[in-house]
Amino acid sequence: MLSRFSPYWLWALFALPAALMSYQALTSTDPRIFHQLVHPSGEFSARFLIVTMMATPLAMLFKGWGFTRWLRKNRRYLGVTAFGYAALHTVFYVIDKASVATIMAEVPRFYIWTGWIAFLIFVPLAVTSTDYFMRVLGPRWKTVQRSTYVAAVLTLLHWASLHDWGSPTAALVHFGPLAALEAYRVWYWYLRPRPLRA
């Protein structure tokens, strides 16, 4: 049933929180509305990134399950959505700060520059996510996409080090399942006992 879910409906579902946040931003009279929306937009970006990266290890762990096949099939949709929320997060942040000078003054802070670098890594990942770039880049396409791991670590550090966005516990709870699945993936490919060849 999931495999018959139209990508158009999928995009509409993924975009719904962004549409609601954008509506709030455009209609609210609260002068702090953009500051309030920075955090939830970032959380959605992180969540979509986590689900995207969980697709492969889940498919390894639950071989043949329909849901894991669906996740793997739609990884690129999920990844592009993560980038979209990261872009919205950045837009809300820039509008909230209201000046280039304020933004530049904050760049040296650990919880800021980790976020900026993660976003900059997201850009080529999103641009090269199409079938066209898969054909053009060939085997190099996977090499480019592996930078997702760097973006994920930076996103975790960005989230965990924020002082006004809950505690590091929230970031660790979100990224914990991904870390466990990636550890399983490493064990499966490199560390698990294998039968001795005769």
Side-chain angles (χ1 to χ4, degrees):
M1 183 174 179
L2 282 171
S3 61
R4 296 194 294 271
F5 199 65
S6 167
Y8 298 107
W9 287 109
L10 198 61
W11 282 120
L13 179 64
F14 289 170
L16 183 59
L20 293 173
M21 284 186 276
S22 299
Y23 177 79
Q24 282 183 275
L26 293 171
T27 59
S28 176
T29 57
D30 186 342
R32 288 177 53 83
I33 186 60
F34 289 103
H35 179 76
Q36 294 165 7
L37 292 172
V38 167
H39 306 323
S41 57
E43 285 186 357
F44 271 103
S45 177
R47 288 167 184 158
F48 275 103
L49 174 62
I50 290 165
V51 174
T52 303
M53 297 183 69
M54 288 173 69
T56 297
L58 278 174
M60 292 170 59
L61 190 59
F62 301 103
K63 293 181 177 69
W65 287 37
F67 180 66
T68 58
R69 288 200 303 269
W70 181 87
L71 276 179
R72 291 197 70 178
K73 179 182 176 182
N74 292 283
R75 274 183 305 182
R76 279 190 285 167
Y77 293 155
L78 291 160
V80 171
T81 303
F83 168 74
Y85 279 97
L88 188 64
H89 176 64
T90 305
V91 168
F92 287 153
Y93 168 77
V94 168
I95 295 174
D96 176 53
K97 296 305 173 184
S99 76
V100 174
T102 303
I103 293 169
M104 295 305 296
E106 290 191 348
V107 168
R109 299 176 185 177
F110 181 79
Y111 64 90
I112 295 296
W113 66 257
T114 48
W116 277 113
I117 295 176
F119 179 69
L120 292 174
I121 293 172
F122 268 133
V123 174
L125 288 171
V127 170
T128 59
S129 65
T130 63
D131 290 336
Y132 169 78
F133 278 103
M134 286 185 72
R135 291 193 300 270
V136 169
L137 294 174
R140 291 174 296 170
W141 185 82
K142 283 193 174 181
T143 302
V144 173
Q145 294 299 310
R146 286 192 186 103
S147 59
T148 306
Y149 292 100
V150 180
V153 171
L154 288 166
T155 300
L156 169 60
L157 295 173
H158 171 63
W159 187 349
S161 59
L162 286 169
H163 301 297
D164 59 345
W165 196 3
S167 68
T169 304
L172 294 173
V173 165
H174 277 78
F175 277 89
L178 174 60
L181 284 168
E182 290 297 339
Y184 166 77
R185 190 178 182 184
V186 170
W187 173 84
Y188 182 87
W189 287 115
Y190 302 108
L191 302 175
R192 70 186 170 106
R194 300 176 188 274
L196 296 174
R197 292 181 180 179

